[in-house]
Amino acid sequence: MLEKIRIRRRSNEVISIGDIVNYRKATFVVINILSIKVAPRAAGEFIYYDCLCQQLQTPDLSAEYTTTQAEIMYQPHEFREVSEVGEFIYDESTGIWVQIDAILNVRFEGKNMYVKYEFAPVVEWSNKEMQTAVVKERRKCMKLLKPKTNNLVND
């Protein structure tokens, strides 16, 4: 299951694909960073990351879907909100995240604009990739110590 999550960090804290995020009592892995916004404050700069995250140990809902086409109607007041190629969109009818692969055509009827898109479901990470991210996160938090070797020489 994928979810768009806004993550707030200080400017010296890094967010990367594969990072672990705890959100709503669940564990998520960042699989894509969608946007970045800088918000300067008196106490220091904060960065807001909009991330596409995958919840750990949930079924892959996108596996049932394939690339598809759809036409979306925009009214004149929505012309500045037309989605672009590469954009990620939550498809409420299927309950999955899709990415726009192409704009196939644009036509006008009266004052309305109709845009035909080609969408592909966002491929979720495999269980192996998710577990690798979890192990990497755990290793960041744990420090393993090697036992000291005793270099005493017996006479």
Side-chain angles (χ1 to χ4, degrees), residues 63-138:
E64 302 172 15
Y65 296 93
T66 184
T67 300
T68 188
Q69 297 176 2
E71 187 173 68
I72 298 175
M73 188 261 305
Y74 294 93
Q75 296 176 348
H77 69 277
E78 300 172 307
F79 286 178
R80 292 181 183 223
E81 301 169 16
V82 175
S83 297
E84 299 175 354
V85 172
E87 194 171 323
F88 292 86
I89 298 171
Y90 181 72
D91 183 355
E92 292 179 13
S93 64
T94 60
I96 66 168
W97 283 85
V98 296
Q99 185 174 21
I100 299 174
D101 286 342
I103 295 175
L104 302 174
N105 68 29
V106 178
R107 65 183 177 84
F108 288 86
E109 276 187 26
K111 293 184 178 183
N112 296 331
M113 176 172 53
Y114 293 82
V115 180
K116 187 171 185 179
Y117 294 100
E118 182 175 87
F119 300 98
V122 174
V123 178
E124 296 188 23
W125 284 17
S126 68
N127 286 334
K128 183 178 179 181
E129 290 170 307
M130 295 289 285
Q131 289 304 321
T132 300
V134 169
V135 168
K136 181 180 172 187
E137 181 70 17
R138 287 181 183 157

Side-chain angles (χ1 to χ4, degrees), residues 4-62:
K4 183 178 177 182
I5 300 173
R6 176 165 280 179
I7 302 169
R8 184 182 87 164
R9 294 286 191 260
R10 293 198 180 277
S11 60
N12 62 344
E13 298 174 316
V14 178
I15 289 284
S16 301
I17 291 177
D19 283 355
I20 302 295
V21 176
N22 292 311
Y23 178 71
R24 295 186 183 165
K25 299 181 182 180
T27 303
F28 289 83
V29 176
V30 175
I31 66 168
N32 207 316
I33 300 171
L34 305 175
S35 69
I36 302 164
K37 293 182 177 74
V38 178
R41 298 230 171 140
E45 267 187 352
F46 283 102
I47 313 297
Y48 291 91
Y49 300 91
D50 287 330
C51 299
L52 194 57
C53 301
Q54 181 176 337
Q55 188 174 354
L56 195 63
Q57 299 175 339
T58 56
D60 181 358
L61 302 177
S62 67

